[in-house]
Amino acid sequence: MTQPSNPGGKGEDPLAALQAVIAREKQAFIDAKDGRKKIGYLCNYAPQELFNAAGVRHVRLFKGGDTDVVSIGERFTQSVFCDFTKACLGSFSGNDPLYKALDRVYAAHSCNTIKRVSEIINQFVPVKLLSLPKLRALQSSRDFFHEEFIDLRKDLEKLTGNKITDEAIQENIVLYNKLRHILKKISELRKRANPPITGAEYLDLVTGFYYIDPKLALPLYEDLYAKLAAKESALTGERPLRLMMAGSVVADGDRRMLDILEGELGSRVVVEAHCTGVRPFLHSLRENGDPLRALSDGYLDQAPCAKMRPLSDSSESAGRLAQEYSVDGIIYVYLKFCICYGVGTKEFMTHFQKIGIPALEVSSDYSESDHGQIKTRVEAFIEMLNERKDNLDEQYIGA
Ligand code: SF4
């Protein structure tokens, strides 16, 4: 594994330096020939602590955004699959070197599309599917998920030939708690009136959590936090419009909506209620008691995705985040044919309305064909938010 570089050393852009480390680590994953098994996982309900305790190299499989790769994946699917899962299949079939390097894939049954897709991935590399209970408040769900983790532990031991000790799991719980905590703290810098990073930059830096060895990643993020926290945050000119992005997964490589919101329309995404932004870093795991139990409970207790029931848990959690980060509006984006967030739209939009935060619902895929149409709708929404913000600011000044 590569040694820590110096992201953010004097005169160096700390975010660009982190991206260089991420690129290097991805290449190191592909090139490594030291006998350590290489695994990929789909979804945030797969426990990195356990993978790391098993001594395997591990990466999250969440590349997306490229329509050529989607077309390759489409050969295996019906058109009714979301573009994220088509891109995943396209990466396997199109021989993406990162996906080609894998010895095994672990897929959490986050939705039925992922389940079907994992059966197709099995044509390229062996897959183990982790069942995920929906009714997380039930003791029977918690016991079931614990059993799934016991089974996963055995599967990893068989794959590697190594015993996974309780001590190794415990050590990784502590390590990943620290990592989540620092990523949450970096995100919280965006609570400032003038955030030191954009939403696109936050998503880009978060990819390191899924690609870099955690022991290497922790000092890099601590250093990055110190540098960003020290950045001058005084506001000159008008305060930017603050937005939350909620909804389906935003793949590594899919920045279409962020390009419109931040690049073309000048607003700022300051928080995310989706699974590749800050949401996976809101919780921390118990550091005492049986470590495997702490792991299964902790993963069920994370800020819920729309697969969990009741769905109001997810919409309320998203609403709390929006309030905590004082957003002016919410962009709820779901991938076409997303069976979790597409069907859940009404629940989310009704809740955002109830708490008084304007929200716009957008359904999208990775093609550019609807760019103009989406931009027009988003632009009208941003205009309305700006008028509303100016009125509120005026009222505040006059108070
Ligand atoms: S939850 Fe939605 S976006 Fe995610 S894999 Fe399932 S259908 Fe696709």
Side-chain angles (χ1 to χ4, degrees), residues 298-335:
Y299 269 75
L300 266 192
D301 288 336
Q302 66 180 287
C305 86
K307 183 215 156 47
M308 291 296 168
R309 292 293 174 272
L311 186 54
S312 54
D313 277 3
S314 305
S315 60
E316 285 166 15
S317 158
R320 279 193 298 277
L321 258 188
Q323 288 169 321
E324 206 185 298
Y325 277 74
S326 310
V327 304
D328 298 299
I330 299 169
I331 308 282
Y332 181 89
V333 193
Y334 64 90
L335 284 169

Side-chain angles (χ1 to χ4, degrees), residues 80-86 110-115 117 247-249 275 305-307 334-342 366:
V80 290
F81 281 42
C82 71
D83 270 8
F84 175 72
T85 47
K86 286 179 194 164
S110 50
C111 74
N112 286 344
T113 309
I114 283 286
K115 179 181 172 290
V117 161
S248 303
V249 57
C275 69
C305 86
K307 183 215 156 47
Y334 64 90
L335 284 169
K336 283 176 187 154
F337 308 113
C338 171
I339 50 182
C340 287
Y341 286 93
Y366 295 158

